Amino acid sequence: MGGFVSAVRLMTERVSSNRGYPFSIPAVGALEKELSLHPQATFFVGENGSGKSTLLEAIAVAAGFNAEGGSVNFNFGTRASHSELHRALRLVRRGKRARTGFFLRAESYFNLATNIEELDAEPAVAPPIIDSYGSKSLHEQSHGESFLSLLQHRFGAHGLYILDEPEAALSAKRQLAVLARIHQLIEQGSQFIIATHSPILLSLPGATIYELSEHGIGTIAYEESDAFKTTKGFLDDPATFLELLLGRGART
């Protein structure tokens, strides 16, 4: 059974009185009430700008991960773009520590791959870092291939994995492969916290799904998510969708 972080809460005494960004985001303000995290998998969904990535990044940094991604051993930084939210977050832990872990940010994955190459270029007694990622440069693979390599080779049992839009650059088939690997790692005692727009990843059985909106944060069922409803609506009747979006000429 996984579950290394059981909840997250905003410590209001560490929030400035002006309540500027990111504390002005409704979903962040809702953290004044403790937010429980599923011991196996928690998803954050919502429109762009709802605070998904901001919250996920803050949880990752508060858990000890590098703000631009990687394991707790990475400390590279190309641009300090993360917010100060992590300083005001309290993570409630379950009393046991993960054996391993990783924070994946789709937008800075290139920087992570570059840092691995830079570290391996330096003289060292230990084996090359890239050996833990499948032994093939992440830059010499497509984004999708390198991400799958990361999950297959670097991710292991009893780990804490925080993923920000892992579906980026993945085909539908590759998303299914990622879903299967996540399920396998959960069975091996790992915990996942994921921000996503993917209806495929969201289908993971038993996961908790939180929707972030102008109303704050609330749990929803898989079938209630916009990712599911919009995708299903389109696939059920693509012609009508296209006509509404593009005009009557879309049917021809």
Side-chain angles (χ1 to χ4, degrees):
M1 184 70 170
F4 306 102
V5 181
S6 62
V8 58
R9 185 168 188 170
L10 184 69
M11 296 183 289
T12 55
E13 67 273 16
R14 297 188 181 181
V15 179
S16 61
S17 59
N18 63 15
R19 287 275 175 165
Y21 177 86
F23 305 104
S24 57
I25 298 174
V28 172
L31 296 177
E32 292 183 12
K33 294 182 178 179
E34 193 169 275
L35 185 73
S36 297
L37 300 180
H38 194 283
Q40 297 178 341
T42 301
F43 287 100
F44 294 136
V45 300
E47 284 296 326
N48 296 330
S50 62
K52 298 186 308 300
S53 294
T54 299
L55 175 55
L56 197 77
E57 175 190 82
I59 293 174
V61 176
F65 294 103
N66 183 50
E68 290 196 31
S71 70
V72 294
N73 297 317
F74 282 86
N75 59 11
F76 70 94
T78 56
R79 183 174 181 269
S81 59
H82 58 289
S83 74
E84 293 299 306
L85 178 57
H86 66 280
R87 301 185 187 278
L89 284 188
R90 175 176 176 264
L91 302 187
V92 181
R93 300 181 184 271
R94 292 184 180 272
K96 57 182 178 179
R97 289 194 172 274
R99 294 181 187 174
T100 185
F102 207 90
F103 174 34
L104 174 74
R105 293 186 64 181
E107 65 180 31
S108 58
Y109 191 59
F110 177 91
N111 301 335
L112 171 68
T114 299
N115 188 242
I116 291 174
E117 291 190 349
E118 292 173 345
L119 292 172
D120 279 343
E122 299 176 0
V125 177
I129 298 172
I130 196 62
D131 287 356
S132 298
Y133 294 77
S135 301
K136 182 179 180 180
S137 169
L138 299 178
H139 280 313
E140 294 177 5
Q141 307 173 64
S142 71
H143 191 166
E145 290 172 333
S146 65
F147 178 50
L148 284 175
S149 181
L150 173 72
L151 259 72
Q152 292 295 338
H153 300 287
R154 175 58 183 80
F155 285 21
H158 303 285
L160 173 62
Y161 302 108
I162 303 176
L163 314 180
D164 187 13
E165 298 185 7
E167 71 273 13
L170 290 176
S171 68
K173 287 185 179 180
R174 292 297 175 90
Q175 289 181 48
L176 288 169
V178 168
L179 180 65
R181 178 58 174 159
I182 289 174
H183 175 69
Q184 181 184 52
L185 288 166
I186 285 174
E187 290 189 323
Q188 296 172 357
S190 293
Q191 180 183 19
F192 285 82
I193 307 171
I194 305 173
T196 186
H197 293 286
S198 168
I200 292 176
L201 297 184
L202 277 180
S203 69
L204 183 70
T208 293
I209 302 176
Y210 284 115
E211 182 179 52
L212 283 66
S213 70
E214 67 274 15
H215 304 296
I217 302 179
T219 56
I220 59 171
Y222 171 59
E223 293 81 4
E224 295 173 329
S225 67
D226 281 341
F228 174 85
K229 291 189 293 185
T230 301
T231 302
K232 184 178 187 304
F234 179 82
L235 294 177
D236 284 347
D237 191 0
T240 297
F241 257 73
L242 290 173
E243 183 175 313
L244 291 171
L245 287 171
L246 309 178
R248 295 185 179 278
R251 285 184 177 272
T252 60

